[in-house]
Amino acid sequence: MAFEGSSSLPSMASTTAFLFFSFTFIFSLFSVLIFILRMRTWCNCHTCRSYLTKSWTHRFINLCDWYTHLLRNSPTGTIHVHVLQNIITSNPHNVEHIVKTRFDNYPKGKPFSTILGDLLGQGIFNVDGDYWKFQRKMASLELGSVAIRSYAFETVMDEIQMRLIPIVASKARGENETEMNSILDLQDILRRFSFDIICKFSFGLDPGCLLPSLPVSNLADAFDLTSKLSAERAMNVSPMIWKMKRFLNIGSEKKLREAINVVSNSANEIIKQRREMGFATRKDLLSRFMGLVNNNDIYLRDIVISFLLAGRDTVAAGLTGFFSLLSKNPRVEEMIREELNQILGPVQDSPTFDQIRQMHYLNAAVHESLRLFPPVQFDSKHAEEDDVLPDGTFVKKGSRVTYHPYAMGRMEKIWGPDCLEFKPERWLKDGLFVQPDPFKYPVFQAGLRVCLGKDLALMNMKLVVAALVPRFHIRVVGPNHEPQFVPGLTATFRGGLPIKVIEKKC
Ligand code: HEM
């Protein structure tokens, strides 16, 4: 029997495998056909051909660099990838039109909310209309309060002092020592740091990702996977492919479902604990929201997950870009150090909330790094009705319209011939920081849906810089080439940011 059984198993397995692969093949063919049929026109223009054949990869390592090149050469600062029905713009007048003047005509739209719906549900990032208005009002009231700001300040300072500085110091060598202790992946450290902070801030829970043992966190890993796989949905030639995989619960969709379950279960557990412990006197965001929508757990879950997504990778991505630029610009590092010395004096070692606000050069340096390395490289809307953009581009109803902060930060037309240089001075007038025009610099979006965490994010970034720069020289190791990004919802350096750390003499 055992022999018979074992001989029939392989043939059953091969029949199943054959059926599976035939099905997948026929299905993929079908999806490609549908995709081609859905295209308004088969376009043979240079841009569409390069996109479809991927020939752009011969000259550029990142899609965002290729788009930047095309946008720079476009007289209007706008391009059209016809086969994707996607208009991409770097023109500040168009940005203002999309996110402010004709805001009602440019919602996120169904294609976006379908892709992220399984992860974000009805969370603020994923909804339009009244659902969005309600959450926006509630969140802006909470995030604007003095109490939440001082809670955020304390949370960040605590994580810096207790975890970030010790872990960076543990890898440092003295200025006169030749051997370095070891190489540290700063991107990984900053992602752990940001995850601890956003969890403490959002729901008063400490996942301890930046403890000295650098533990594995199931929640953080599951969260990374969900954001990577959700972003990959958008890269399928047709949404039919991922929708069918989701229906059959196979491949990447199976992994995505499992990861979303981990995230959802953790969020539900947190909500349950918070309710049991009582939330009336607690300072975190979830407790504050519970006071407003206590009985709706699904809604609370969606809010929690949206905030995790909003605050986690963005801040880490911003800081990774900052330190990669600082490593190549010791002059800027020295200027930041001088300003810190001037404002803190010789004894005080960490700034107060008010002192951070007085640091104009630091503010300029952080804005400058976000110009060159915006954490959200592009952002798309979908046109409700036909429209014409200020530069004359016709927008057909249903088209995807994308503004591109990464490309905009690299436009001579906006920033002048030195646009590729890291120059904090461009933000200063008589030593004082000058606020950017939000439509030329939509790093935090602009208009009616401008980022609600902007001030918190900037404060967080400045506190990290103010803590690390006076203590350490941070130098990126390895070849000095431009970063390659991993496809995802926020900018992530492929291979991390390997650094060596040199402890400064007191
Ligand atoms: C450097 C860090 C950050 C950057 C560059 C950034 C950028 C952005 C961008 C571009 C958007 C618009 C996204 C879209 O509509 O698809 C956005 C929205 C948002 N951000 Fe941020 N963000 C950062 C940090 C944060 C933090 C720390 C929080 C929360 C504590 C936060 C909360 C939000 C929220 C709630 C929205 C949704 C606003 C709405 O739809 O009305 N962000 N952010």
Side-chain angles (χ1 to χ4, degrees):
M1 284 292 283
F3 181 74
E4 264 178 33
S6 53
S7 75
S8 64
L9 272 178
S11 72
M12 262 177 67
S14 53
T15 312
T16 315
F18 175 75
L19 282 173
F20 175 76
F21 285 117
S22 315
F23 173 78
T24 312
F25 177 72
I26 292 168
F27 178 69
S28 306
L29 210 66
F30 180 65
S31 302
V32 171
L33 260 171
I34 288 187
F35 172 70
I36 291 169
L37 288 173
R38 276 169 55 118
M39 288 176 193
R40 301 250 124 176
T41 44
W42 172 260
C43 181
N44 199 27
C45 76
H46 183 64
T47 304
C48 291
R49 244 183 308 130
S50 299
Y51 182 84
L52 289 171
T53 59
K54 290 204 164 186
S55 64
W56 62 267
T57 52
H58 303 159
R59 279 187 61 201
F60 301 94
I61 50 171
N62 299 300
L63 187 66
C64 57
D65 290 319
W66 179 49
Y67 281 162
T68 304
H69 165 79
L70 295 176
L71 288 163
R72 235 187 245 144
N73 291 323
S74 154
T76 55
T78 300
I79 56 166
H80 200 157
V81 187
H82 307 97
V83 289
L84 297 177
Q85 276 190 269
N86 190 188
I87 291 166
I88 304 168
T89 190
S90 61
N91 183 321
H93 299 297
N94 291 348
V95 177
E96 181 167 5
H97 181 86
I98 297 160
V99 300
K100 187 181 155 199
T101 322
R102 292 293 324 273
F103 176 76
D104 286 348
N105 195 44
Y106 293 97
K108 297 214 159 183
K110 204 155 180 279
F112 180 89
S113 55
T114 315
I115 284 176
L116 288 176
D118 292 330
L119 173 63
L120 296 179
Q122 301 283 308
I124 186 167
F125 266 110
N126 212 34
V127 283
D128 293 305
D130 288 343
Y131 258 129
W132 167 74
K133 268 190 200 142
F134 174 68
Q135 287 186 59
R136 171 97 193 169
K137 202 169 162 196
M138 199 169 66
S140 50
L141 276 175
E142 292 304 337
L143 286 172
S145 77
V146 177
I148 202 94
R149 278 167 195 238
S150 60
Y151 176 62
F153 185 82
E154 281 162 31
T155 308
V156 176
M157 282 308 267
D158 190 57
E159 184 79 8
I160 288 176
Q161 300 291 340
M162 307 305 288
R163 295 190 183 150
L164 184 63
I165 294 177
I167 213 142
V168 176
S170 73
K171 299 289 176 187
R173 66 173 165 91
E175 275 181 308
N176 299 323
E177 292 169 41
T178 46
E179 276 307 301
M180 62 186 161
N181 190 344
S182 57
I183 287 173
L184 190 64
D185 176 2
L186 189 61
Q187 178 171 257
D188 176 53
I189 296 298
L190 293 168
R191 285 163 69 87
R192 288 167 178 276
F193 168 81
S194 304
F195 195 65
D196 281 359
I197 288 185
I198 197 67
C199 288
K200 287 191 210 171
F201 174 73
S202 301
F203 36 75
L205 171 138
D206 179 8
C209 288
L210 198 57
L211 284 169
S213 60
L214 299 181
V216 173
S217 154
N218 288 342
L219 175 58
D221 287 354
F223 201 73
D224 284 347
L225 198 60
T226 55
S227 101
K228 175 176 169 281
L229 295 176
S230 298
E232 278 176 16
R233 278 181 171 177
M235 290 157 68
N236 279 303
V237 282
S238 156
M240 288 286 286
I241 295 183
W242 69 259
K243 283 184 184 168
M244 187 52 87
K245 278 163 79 183
R246 179 176 67 177
F247 176 73
L248 297 170
N249 195 25
I250 54 173
S252 54
E253 286 296 319
K254 184 168 188 276
K255 283 192 205 152
L256 180 58
R257 181 171 296 181
E258 287 163 2
I260 288 176
N261 280 342
V262 174
V263 174
S264 284
N265 291 342
S266 306
N268 289 337
E269 187 52 34
I270 291 160
I271 292 166
K272 193 169 143 229
Q273 275 179 23
R274 236 333 126 261
R275 188 163 289 129
E276 281 166 9
M277 288 159 69
F279 53 84
T281 57
R282 302 188 76 94
K283 296 179 187 164
D284 61 89
L285 212 55
L286 173 63
S287 301
R288 290 164 169 272
F289 283 139
M290 277 181 138
L292 300 167
V293 280
N294 185 17
N295 291 325
N296 192 340
D297 277 13
I298 297 177
Y299 208 26
L300 286 171
R301 181 212 86 118
D302 293 347
I303 292 174
V304 165
I305 294 176
S306 272
F307 271 88
L308 277 187
L309 181 75
R312 192 259 170 117
D313 292 345
T314 47
V315 171
L319 283 166
T320 302
F322 180 90
F323 282 105
S324 80
L325 287 164
L326 200 68
S327 168
K328 291 186 224 152
N329 291 278
R331 183 191 66 82
V332 175
E333 189 183 67
E334 212 31 62
M335 296 288 285
I336 294 174
R337 214 169 269 134
E338 259 176 40
E339 185 178 60
L340 281 162
N341 278 342
Q342 227 175 47
I343 293 179
L344 299 190
V347 186
Q348 195 186 343
D349 70 346
S350 48
T352 62
F353 190 81
D354 281 338
Q355 282 172 324
I356 280 287
R357 290 159 63 116
Q358 292 165 32
M359 295 181 188
H360 290 262
Y361 193 86
L362 175 60
N363 201 14
V366 167
H367 277 80
E368 177 70 345
S369 74
L370 291 170
R371 175 179 74 84
L372 290 167
F373 289 125
V376 182
Q377 295 184 332
F378 63 90
D379 188 36
S380 298
K381 315 288 176 196
H382 288 86
E384 287 263 286
E385 297 298 335
D386 287 359
D387 189 24
V388 178
L389 298 179
D391 69 0
T393 305
F394 174 68
V395 180
K396 188 148 189 59
K397 173 181 174 170
S399 305
R400 178 175 164 193
V401 183
T402 302
Y403 67 91
H404 208 292
Y406 180 88
M408 292 179 78
R410 288 151 194 262
M411 288 292 134
E412 269 194 46
K413 275 183 209 154
I414 302 178
W415 301 100
D418 60 356
C419 61
L420 297 181
E421 288 172 39
F422 181 52
K423 264 194 185 169
E425 287 73 12
R426 75 174 83 240
W427 297 89
L428 299 170
K429 194 158 183 241
D430 301 327
L432 300 180
F433 178 79
V434 181
Q435 283 296 340
D437 171 343
F439 308 110
K440 287 184 179 164
Y441 181 82
V443 165
F444 293 95
Q445 191 160 258
L448 280 80
R449 268 190 111 142
V450 65
C451 170
L452 280 171
K454 179 181 166 198
D455 292 346
L456 289 179
L458 288 169
M459 182 197 67
N460 192 344
M461 288 181 68
K462 287 188 264 181
L463 285 176
V464 170
V465 176
L468 297 186
V469 166
R471 291 176 174 86
F472 310 106
H473 290 294
I474 289 177
R475 296 287 173 261
V476 178
V477 292
N480 185 17
H481 49 59
E482 288 300 305
Q484 189 175 5
F485 299 103
V486 183
L489 300 175
T490 37
T492 306
F493 284 25
R494 192 180 289 284
L497 187 69
I499 55 153
K500 62 183 179 182
V501 183
I502 302 144
E503 194 140 25
K504 275 196 62 66
K505 279 195 202 132
C506 292

